Amino acid sequence: MKRRRNGGSKHILMLKGKHIVLGISGGIAAYKSVFLLRLLVKEGAEVQVVITPNGKEFITPVTLSALSQHPVVCDFFTANTGEWHSHVSLGLWADLMVIAPATASTMAKMVTGVADNMLVTTYLSAKEHVMVAPAMDLDMWAHPSTQRNIEQLRRDGVEIVMPGSGELASGLSGKGRMAEPEEIVSRIKEYFSRSCDMEGMKVLITAGPTCERIDPVRYIGNYSSGKMGFAIAEECASRGAEVTLVAGPVSLSTVNPSIHRVDVESAVEMCEAARKAFANADVAVFAAAVADYRPAETAESKIKRENADEMTIRMVRNPDIAALCGKMKRAGQTTVGFALETDNERINAAHKLEKKNLDMVVMNSLRDKGAGFRTDTNKITIFAREGSVTEFPLKSKSEVARDIVDAMLRFRGNVDAECER
Ligand code: C5P
């Protein structure tokens, strides 16, 4: 009988040709990074290890260079030759940077930009996606400073592979154990399959509040921060889409340089910009909190206080941007609306699908703690045109953005499959 190698099954190298910078900082979980490195190399990735001086205390560069087949980078210079190691070229080379373990101190430096070692310097030069797997003792993990830094890293577009709970090196038990290497590898694979699944797609996103002028110093606005719409814009851009983000007045900036941002103030301005972009869009997400009405007249100079106890501002209806685009919608275009409700959530969401000719409605309720305006988290339920209702748990807005985009792509996939039948 002939023996077949590998039991006859052909393993597909999911990470073949991918350039990965593996950053290792100084924590006991660094021993797990050896397994992580081994798994990445086995999947066909080319891995360049960057280690902090403390990291070297936990694990030797010889082990890492033997497994990666590349010299390990730690110092800015090689002392005896005077050779300079370029963090810039490493940052440009990387298709992905993974920092595992990421200590509390490394994450604090990433947040503040204290680039006093090769690892943080390379992070600041990295052009592509960055993932961190934090590892530390439970009290360090729970400390408000660490939690603040995690939040800020998320806002900066860094993906967090959350630590698990269990026995820690200190002998204590709790949250802080670095995710297992297999979990990190599966997140890396997910990232690469996600990173191009919107290539060639044009996406329009409206975000933030609108401000409706009363006079030169006053306006009617709302509490929308724009965080949800901005997170969706980042998610789509990171997956290869061409994004036009029409934003009302917000104090947010975009991270991905490929996002085309159009800043507007009022609903009428937002409507004009959105309709223009919608003509060429494959997908539109209406995440903005658009004022339903605007003052019928805007005073040219500041309205003076009168002696009267009351004042009335006459208001006129604003255009419904989602509904107008819904009317213009042609085959192949997908539209997603939001429904922020305080009661009768499900009935209202279903009604909006119909009324605005939407394909999906993302509903959040002000009754849910952590959902809605100004928070960094959200809890959503997605209603799709074909009748499905999917509830999600409370998550960070960047994770919610991923769920929304995944659902949207699944919806489009189903529609395409229907058309082919
Ligand atoms: O009808 P309601 O305001 O609750 O609908 C919310 C959805 O419609 C959101 O997706 C919002 O962005 C969109 N909308 C809009 N233009 C308006 C009002 C709402 O695009 N004038």
Side-chain angles (χ1 to χ4, degrees):
M1 205 215 281
K2 262 193 192 165
R3 249 206 232 158
R4 290 166 105 189
R5 276 193 198 163
N6 301 329
S9 67
K10 203 162 174 234
H11 180 71
I12 298 165
L13 300 177
M14 296 278 289
L15 301 176
K16 195 167 171 17
K18 298 292 182 209
H19 291 176
I20 298 178
V21 167
L22 173 61
I24 300 178
S25 57
I28 180 60
Y31 83 90
K32 289 192 192 172
S33 308
V34 179
F35 296 98
L36 174 59
L37 170 59
R38 183 81 191 108
L39 290 174
L40 293 175
V41 171
K42 268 179 141 175
E43 287 288 352
E46 208 180 310
V47 186
Q48 173 65 66
V49 177
V50 183
I51 195 163
T52 64
N54 281 337
K56 277 204 293 190
E57 300 293 327
F58 287 93
I59 181 142
T60 94
V62 177
T63 310
L64 299 164
S65 65
L67 289 174
S68 68
Q69 306 270 305
H70 287 290
V72 171
V73 178
C74 177
D75 304 308
F76 290 107
F77 306 97
T78 306
N80 50 355
T81 61
E83 188 193 348
W84 177 63
H85 301 295
S86 168
H87 56 89
V88 178
S89 52
L90 257 184
L92 290 175
W93 175 85
D95 297 316
L96 171 73
M97 181 171 188
V98 186
I99 303 171
T103 59
S105 133
T106 289
M107 290 193 293
K109 287 181 187 179
M110 289 165 74
V111 165
T112 50
V114 176
D116 63 352
N117 63 36
M118 268 305 273
L119 193 156
V120 182
T121 318
T122 305
Y123 163 68
L124 294 181
S125 302
K127 285 265 171 285
E128 297 293 338
H129 194 59
V130 179
M131 213 179 260
V132 297
M136 65 202 70
D137 216 46
L138 74 165
D139 293 319
M140 289 178 86
W141 171 255
H143 197 281
S145 149
T146 307
Q147 292 306 312
R148 260 198 319 272
N149 289 336
I150 291 276
E151 237 0 273
Q152 187 54 50
L153 286 175
R154 273 207 182 101
R155 265 185 235 126
D156 293 344
V158 173
E159 183 176 343
I160 316 285
V161 186
M162 290 294 270
S165 293
E167 209 177 297
L168 301 165
S170 60
L172 298 170
S173 188
K175 197 159 182 170
R177 283 165 66 113
M178 186 174 93
E180 294 306 319
E182 290 78 6
E183 187 192 338
I184 301 174
V185 170
S186 90
R187 288 282 286 269
I188 292 171
K189 286 182 186 171
E190 262 176 44
Y191 163 70
F192 280 116
S193 60
R194 245 186 6 245
S195 65
C196 54
D197 61 0
M198 293 188 80
E199 237 159 56
M201 260 190 213
K202 291 194 171 76
V203 179
L204 156 70
I205 295 163
T206 67
T210 62
C211 291
E212 310 298 331
R213 279 185 193 219
I214 298 170
D215 68 17
V217 293
R218 301 181 183 94
Y219 63 85
I220 294 169
N222 60 64
Y223 291 124
S224 168
S225 62
K227 285 179 185 170
M228 195 63 252
F230 273 59
I232 298 169
E234 294 294 345
E235 178 66 19
C236 293
S238 76
R239 294 166 82 147
E242 218 178 281
V243 179
T244 301
L245 173 63
V246 182
V250 290
S251 53
L252 296 173
S253 42
T254 49
V255 179
N256 195 312
S258 70
I259 297 174
H260 172 58
R261 177 170 169 175
V262 184
D263 286 307
V264 296
E265 189 178 288
S266 65
V268 169
E269 285 170 17
M270 184 174 276
C271 188
E272 202 183 309
R275 284 176 67 166
K276 213 186 267 174
F278 186 71
N280 295 316
D282 300 293
V283 170
V285 181
F286 303 101
V290 187
D292 292 323
Y293 295 90
R294 65 179 181 278
E297 289 100 28
T298 303
E300 282 192 8
S301 31
K302 188 179 168 194
I303 300 172
K304 293 279 176 238
R305 189 182 328 113
E306 306 273 335
N307 254 344
D309 286 336
E310 287 179 15
M311 88 168 276
T312 306
I313 299 172
R314 197 169 65 86
M315 307 279 278
V316 292
R317 217 190 174 92
N318 265 332
D320 186 323
I321 305 166
L324 280 176
C325 291
K327 283 206 182 96
M328 292 162 63
K329 193 157 84 176
R330 48 182 166 74
Q333 283 185 310
T334 307
T335 53
V336 180
F338 273 73
L340 178 69
E341 302 291 345
T342 49
D343 36 36
N344 292 330
E345 291 96 341
R346 285 170 183 255
I347 296 169
N348 288 336
H351 178 62
K352 241 157 254 181
L353 267 176
E354 275 317 302
K355 203 176 89 190
K356 304 192 185 208
N357 191 20
L358 296 164
D359 297 299
M360 275 170 47
V361 165
V362 180
M363 189 208 69
N364 43 23
S365 169
L366 276 183
R367 284 199 222 175
D368 287 322
K369 204 164 172 279
F373 288 148
R374 294 199 283 196
T375 59
D376 286 322
T377 51
N378 207 355
K379 185 173 181 317
I380 59 159
T381 304
I382 297 182
F383 294 75
R385 178 176 274 281
E386 86 285 353
S388 69
V389 178
T390 319
E391 274 188 49
F392 295 83
L394 186 73
K395 295 185 179 188
S396 72
K397 282 190 171 163
S398 55
E399 288 166 321
V400 172
R402 183 162 310 149
D403 288 338
I404 293 171
V405 173
D406 285 344
M408 200 170 77
L409 294 182
R410 259 197 312 275
F411 177 88
R412 285 178 66 83
N414 290 343
V415 172
D416 287 349
E418 282 290 314
C419 294
E420 276 165 25
R421 246 180 250 156

